[in-house]
Amino acid sequence: MSVASSVAPASAAASAPVPVPPPELAQIPVSLLVDIGSGQVLVQRRPDVPFLPASVTKVMTAYVAFEEIGAGRLSLDRRFNERPETEKEWFAKGTNMYLTRKDWPTTRDLLHGIMTASANDASIVLGEGYAGSVPQWTAKMNDAARRLGMTGSHYNTPNGWMDDGHTYVTASDLVRLADAMITRYPSLYREFSGQKHWFWRDVAMRSHDPTVGVVPGADGIKTGYTREAGYNFLGTAERDGRRLVMVLAGSPKPKVRDNVARALLEWGFSAWQARHLFDQGQTIARAQVQDGNAQSVPLVANREVHATLPTGGHQKITLAVRYKGPLQAPIRKGDQVAELEINVAGLAPGRVPLYAGRDVAKGGALDRLIAGAIHLVS
């Protein structure tokens, strides 16, 4: 079932042409740029082809930790002690915090090590220390991927170390992951993403993020590299309420990746413009509910929603709210129950998730009687 509406064009002026992306983007085998306020794809190349993520894997390790922190099961102040066999295997192996059994890093220390320093040992210590083993931790990673709809991805390691291709992702899936990390855990995201330096034992560890401090509004997220994977980047920036999320994968050189990342974000903000549609939390539509103590539930977005148009463009915008309905009670406030489809003439549609704006409990006999009467009248 769907509820549709339309937004008239801003004026009768001719539509602007679809912007041409930076030419240097052709050097990157996999690329994707999405405006998450509209869900619209601004540029894409092989967005659903699996690739080796290398250290971009660590974004899912951080996300699983965010979930556990958000649920109250993991404290940022909890201390971890490295296992002897873990120290033997992972000390100074790739990028590292150089943890030893004498250290008792907190969750906060490990997350800074993972997200800023890209520490391989920190990822293992967190995963083993919390879940009991690496396989039990990666099971949590894959469960989170499944719940996020990351259908083209699989995790076999917490840190992206080479594993004969058992860990793989797609660009489309990484955008889903970044979106969830930013919108569901904003305070944790701000604390652990986009930090250029972090100190562990008075030693400065440096991020390789090519955009933070260079591109206005850039605040993360993670680079990655192995010989097999090439140079990868999951990046994002926000300006004036617009957030772009970008994936670049398989770059032959770090300089190519870094230059393209900067150019692509700047192009996304300059060549495209947002037309505001709804505020965060504003009721966008109502969905019918079956067997509940209310006949409908308000649908809201967890972000500011806009349509994305070429700069100077005035294309017609059509909206459609889509859900499988009627929805079945009980429904909890915050459950994702629908999508807003945003259609800009001449462009591929974008989709933004919609959430229940209130609880709807299971209805009693009187509620069912009232609903039946309303149905007969309608």
Side-chain angles (χ1 to χ4, degrees):
M1 180 177 182
S2 67
V3 179
S5 61
S6 64
V7 177
S11 74
S15 299
V18 176
V20 177
E24 53 266 46
L25 186 62
Q27 302 175 73
I28 307 294
V30 174
S31 59
L32 182 62
L33 182 67
V34 178
D35 186 326
I36 67 169
S38 66
Q40 291 171 245
V41 173
L42 307 186
V43 70
Q44 62 181 351
R45 185 180 189 188
R46 302 187 181 99
D48 299 312
V49 174
F51 63 88
L52 305 179
S55 284
V56 177
T57 300
K58 296 181 176 91
V59 178
M60 179 57 89
T61 283
Y63 180 79
V64 171
F66 288 4
E67 284 196 321
E68 299 304 306
I69 294 164
R73 294 186 290 264
L74 176 60
S75 166
L76 283 169
D77 297 320
R78 172 175 167 175
R79 293 193 175 273
F80 292 78
N81 188 231
E82 188 174 28
R83 297 175 179 179
E85 57 270 27
T86 302
E87 180 184 352
K88 182 178 180 181
E89 180 179 358
W90 288 100
F91 185 82
K93 189 173 182 178
T95 50
N96 221 267
M97 281 179 69
Y98 302 96
L99 294 169
T100 72
R101 286 169 289 167
K102 296 179 182 179
D103 294 314
W104 287 85
T106 64
T107 305
R108 179 176 275 109
D109 293 328
L110 294 174
L111 283 172
H112 276 300
I114 290 165
M115 289 294 286
T116 302
S118 195
N120 291 316
D121 54 349
S123 304
I124 301 295
V125 169
L126 176 62
E128 287 184 339
Y130 184 78
S133 69
V134 165
Q136 287 174 298
W137 179 260
T138 56
K140 288 183 174 294
M141 297 170 73
N142 287 312
D143 178 63
R146 177 189 58 78
R147 288 183 281 108
L148 292 173
M150 297 172 62
T151 57
S153 300
H154 181 265
Y155 293 94
N156 185 61
T157 169
N159 55 22
W161 192 260
M162 295 160 285
D163 64 353
D164 297 321
H166 293 294
T167 296
Y168 53 87
V169 297
T170 68
S172 296
D173 284 351
L174 286 180
V175 169
R176 287 178 180 268
L177 175 58
D179 187 342
M181 173 177 274
I182 294 164
T183 58
R184 299 183 188 184
Y185 304 101
S187 61
L188 290 169
Y189 175 78
R190 286 192 297 269
E191 180 172 355
F192 295 107
S193 182
Q195 308 301 319
K196 290 296 290 183
H197 298 90
W198 176 73
F199 287 85
W200 167 247
R201 292 205 220 97
D202 298 323
V203 176
M205 294 187 174
R206 182 173 64 89
S207 166
H208 294 287
D209 190 301
T211 60
V212 172
V214 179
V215 176
D219 56 6
I221 301 176
K222 190 77 191 65
T223 59
Y225 166 75
T226 63
R227 287 188 300 276
E228 292 82 356
Y231 293 89
N232 302 336
F233 183 47
L234 172 61
T236 182
E238 184 178 32
R239 294 184 195 170
D240 301 322
R242 281 186 68 203
R243 180 172 288 280
L244 306 180
V245 175
M246 167 184 59
V247 179
L248 302 175
S251 174
K253 297 179 180 179
K255 186 175 181 180
V256 171
R257 174 198 63 190
D258 297 354
N259 289 341
V260 170
R262 296 162 187 157
L264 191 58
L265 284 176
E266 291 291 0
W267 173 83
F269 285 114
S270 63
W272 300 84
Q273 66 184 18
R275 183 168 172 207
H276 179 268
L277 298 175
F278 303 100
D279 293 329
Q280 180 177 343
Q282 180 182 348
T283 296
I284 294 174
R286 301 188 70 89
Q288 289 183 312
V289 177
Q290 188 172 24
D291 297 332
N293 64 353
Q295 302 306 304
S296 66
V297 63
L299 302 177
V300 302
N302 64 353
R303 67 201 70 191
E304 183 270 343
V305 179
H306 52 255
T308 308
L309 292 76
T311 297
H314 301 282
Q315 288 94 327
K316 182 179 179 180
I317 302 165
T318 303
L319 308 179
V321 175
R322 304 199 180 279
Y323 63 97
K324 294 180 180 179
L327 304 176
Q328 190 71 38
I331 299 168
R332 293 182 303 173
K333 181 179 180 179
D335 285 347
Q336 183 179 338
V337 293
E339 283 187 330
L340 176 66
E341 183 178 281
I342 302 171
N343 287 280
V344 177
L347 303 175
R351 292 177 177 84
V352 174
L354 296 180
Y355 302 85
R358 54 158 289 186
D359 293 330
V360 179
K362 196 80 172 175
L366 179 59
D367 296 305
R368 290 193 293 272
L369 182 62
I370 294 171
I374 292 174
H375 179 71
L376 286 173
V377 171
S378 62

